[in-house]
Amino acid sequence: MVAAAVLVMGAGQALAADVKVTDKTRAKGMADAPALLTTSGVPCQLSDAHFIGESTATATDGKKSKIVVYEVACQAGPGYILAKNADGTIATTFNCTQAWSQNAIDPKATKCLLPANVNHYAWLQEPVQKLSTACTVNNARWLGSSDEAKIDRYEVGCAAGAGGILDLARAGSANTSTFDNCLVMELKKVTCQFTTREQAIAAIKPLAQKASASCQVNNSRLIGRVTADNEDYYEFGCANEAGFLVRAKTNGDYLAKISCANAGTLGPCQYTDSASLVAGQNATYTATLKQAGINCTVEAYNVVGTQTQTNRDFVEFKCPEQAFGVMGFFPNEGSTAKADVFDCYTGIARKRECTLTPATVLLANLDALAKADKKDCDVQEARYAGLTDTDGVLVELACSNKRGYIAALAKSRKTFEDIIACNIAKNRAGYETCKIPGNGTYVSDVKP
């Protein structure tokens, strides 16, 4: 979490307004600064310094203490404001961009005045240049810091075009520095001051052009970021056609286009009438399933994700003709892979959970089949263990009376190919055994 702190000079001593750089303040600053820099650990080859003055600092517990404040300029990197306690320890260390940002919020906060520090943002050109060669930094403000992650966050303005958000990793941080489009900050309810929204959208238009060269972009937003995968999801609106989503790397590399009709949990789209697209997609999927030999009038669907190695979408469907659901992998344009369609029984056995078909529906069918096989079993739980050689599903059934069975559900889903008790299954070499805790522990009450 990035949090901000404030260095504020004592009330009644408006140092930010009253302080001036003189030969006297410079002489004292240059004399005292080397020791201050050593104590603070600030990386600075001193080029200039001056003594700002004395004031008081108020701690979080309300206690006040006397502090002595200096400004230093460095041969490289930022300049600093250093506040020393009366006992000689460093109370606070702010670079000049941090100090400028706090002064913009509270005029009582001291700011840098030395000539070398007037362009307080100049030092950010080097780290920004490594991440965005098109940016010539012409302004910056500090947004906060994370001491745990060792990151400082700045908004950076660029002389031409869009600026962005710089997360600058400190020395020793396990993180790397990043430079993000200002749309990233909209998710955090922060508005960039040095970049307009139109400039921010223009900066990411190349992503839209890769998804659809004909799209006349009229709006965009960042939907979310998957930090673990270093991926961003953007929505684009088009003036001349349906909008879409784009999946991209956080460094700006394009990955894939996603239709608003297939937005799933990322949607609904805000810049496109998704409802009409979904209705059309229902009809398209109905035809696609028919080609695959599945009778399914699609009422709802959920695009779970994309299998990147085959360029196939994994989609789940709900339709009245298929009581046990339909799901599978469906090739996108350009894919050479075939469709792979199956029901929720097979899906769960293949570690693919169904969301449009309730698990209770599947369990109720297993219960009915067990009773039809004259088994004393009210099925309370099922464990899907795998697939059989005949496209059946191997399932463990746990009964309310602790009877348990291993069953092979037939491809038709209307009967079991085989069903045996847990105590028999465990004695069959190479056969699946019961693993649900307590299953198969039924003991008869009948006395011999």
Side-chain angles (χ1 to χ4, degrees), residues 247 255-257 305-314 329-338:
R247 183 167 64 95
L255 292 176
K257 174 186 176 182
T306 301
Q307 189 179 55
T308 55
Q309 63 269 34
T310 64
N311 190 20
R312 295 186 299 178
D313 287 337
F314 182 66
F329 294 92
F330 297 85
N332 291 309
E333 183 178 352
S335 174
T336 58
K338 295 181 179 180

Side-chain angles (χ1 to χ4, degrees), residues 352-375:
R352 304 283 181 177
E353 293 295 328
C354 285
T355 59
L356 299 179
T357 300
T360 52
V361 171
L362 306 181
L363 199 66
N365 182 53
L366 296 175
D367 180 70
L369 295 181
K371 288 179 170 59
D373 208 273
K374 304 186 184 304
K375 303 299 181 186

Side-chain angles (χ1 to χ4, degrees), residues 323-348:
F324 308 127
V326 179
M327 61 192 344
F329 294 92
F330 297 85
N332 291 309
E333 183 178 352
S335 174
T336 58
K338 295 181 179 180
D340 180 15
V341 188
F342 40 88
D343 68 2
C344 287
Y345 282 120
T346 296
I348 297 174

Side-chain angles (χ1 to χ4, degrees), residues 29-30 32-49 70-75 78-82 84 88 90 93:
M30 291 298 288
D32 296 346
L36 283 172
L37 291 171
T38 299
T39 303
S40 68
V42 167
C44 175
Q45 291 184 314
L46 187 66
S47 63
D48 200 358
Y70 295 80
E71 176 189 351
V72 298
C74 309
Q75 293 181 19
Y80 294 92
I81 300 292
L82 305 175
K84 181 180 71 169
I90 296 295
T93 300

Side-chain angles (χ1 to χ4, degrees), residues 94-413:
F94 267 37
N95 68 49
C96 287
T97 301
Q98 292 172 322
W100 179 89
S101 303
Q102 291 303 313
N103 178 266
I105 297 171
D106 185 345
K108 292 179 181 180
T110 194
K111 63 180 180 181
C112 296
L113 299 176
L114 289 171
N117 292 335
V118 171
N119 290 339
H120 61 87
Y121 50 80
W123 69 281
L124 290 170
Q125 182 63 52
E126 182 179 355
V128 169
Q129 189 75 19
K130 294 178 180 178
L131 301 167
S132 178
T133 56
C135 178
T136 299
V137 177
N138 67 352
N139 215 333
R141 65 181 176 125
W142 177 59
L143 298 178
S145 298
S146 170
D147 290 333
E148 181 181 355
K150 296 183 178 179
I151 283 178
D152 298 305
R153 176 170 291 168
Y154 300 89
E155 180 196 348
V156 174
C158 303
I165 304 302
L166 173 68
D167 277 354
L168 186 60
R170 303 175 195 164
S173 174
N175 299 281
T176 56
S177 298
T178 59
F179 189 67
D180 284 318
N181 187 288
C182 279
L183 295 180
V184 171
M185 297 309 293
E186 289 187 343
L187 294 177
K188 304 177 186 299
K189 309 301 181 185
V190 176
T191 301
C192 282
Q193 294 182 2
F194 311 131
T195 299
T196 67
R197 197 170 192 280
E198 290 71 25
Q199 288 175 318
I201 292 174
I204 59 169
K205 275 187 179 179
L207 289 175
Q209 292 168 353
K210 288 182 179 180
S212 174
S214 59
C215 172
Q216 298 172 9
V217 177
N218 60 6
N219 217 331
S220 183
R221 68 186 176 106
L222 177 69
I223 297 173
R225 167 167 289 178
V226 182
T227 304
D229 297 331
N230 293 319
E231 291 183 358
D232 288 331
Y233 288 83
Y234 290 95
E235 178 189 354
F236 288 95
C238 307
N240 59 328
E241 63 188 58
F244 47 82
L245 310 183
V246 166
R247 183 167 64 95
K249 283 294 185 182
T250 53
N251 65 2
D253 290 345
Y254 174 85
L255 292 176
K257 174 186 176 182
I258 303 170
S259 167
C260 281
N262 293 342
T265 57
L266 294 171
C269 287
Q270 293 184 5
Y271 312 133
T272 299
D273 180 9
S274 298
S276 60
L277 291 178
V278 168
Q281 189 64 46
N282 281 347
T284 299
Y285 275 134
T286 297
T288 300
L289 288 166
K290 185 175 181 180
Q291 290 178 352
I294 305 296
N295 181 25
C296 174
T297 304
V298 176
E299 297 178 339
Y301 64 90
N302 177 27
V303 181
V304 180
T306 301
Q307 189 179 55
T308 55
Q309 63 269 34
T310 64
N311 190 20
R312 295 186 299 178
D313 287 337
F314 182 66
V315 192
E316 178 189 359
F317 303 96
K318 179 182 179 182
C319 51
E321 298 89 348
Q322 303 295 331
F324 308 127
V326 179
M327 61 192 344
F329 294 92
F330 297 85
N332 291 309
E333 183 178 352
S335 174
T336 58
K338 295 181 179 180
D340 180 15
V341 188
F342 40 88
D343 68 2
C344 287
Y345 282 120
T346 296
I348 297 174
R350 291 171 60 170
K351 312 302 181 186
R352 304 283 181 177
E353 293 295 328
C354 285
T355 59
L356 299 179
T357 300
T360 52
V361 171
L362 306 181
L363 199 66
N365 182 53
L366 296 175
D367 180 70
L369 295 181
K371 288 179 170 59
D373 208 273
K374 304 186 184 304
K375 303 299 181 186
D376 180 14
C377 180
D378 291 321
V379 177
Q380 299 296 302
E381 186 179 352
R383 178 180 67 86
Y384 299 91
L387 303 174
T388 70
D389 294 336
T390 56
D391 292 330
V393 176
L394 202 60
V395 59
E396 175 186 355
L397 306 177
C399 313
S400 58
N401 60 4
K402 300 302 181 182
R403 291 186 186 274
Y405 298 91
I406 296 293
L409 179 63
K411 182 180 179 180
S412 67
R413 311 311 191 216

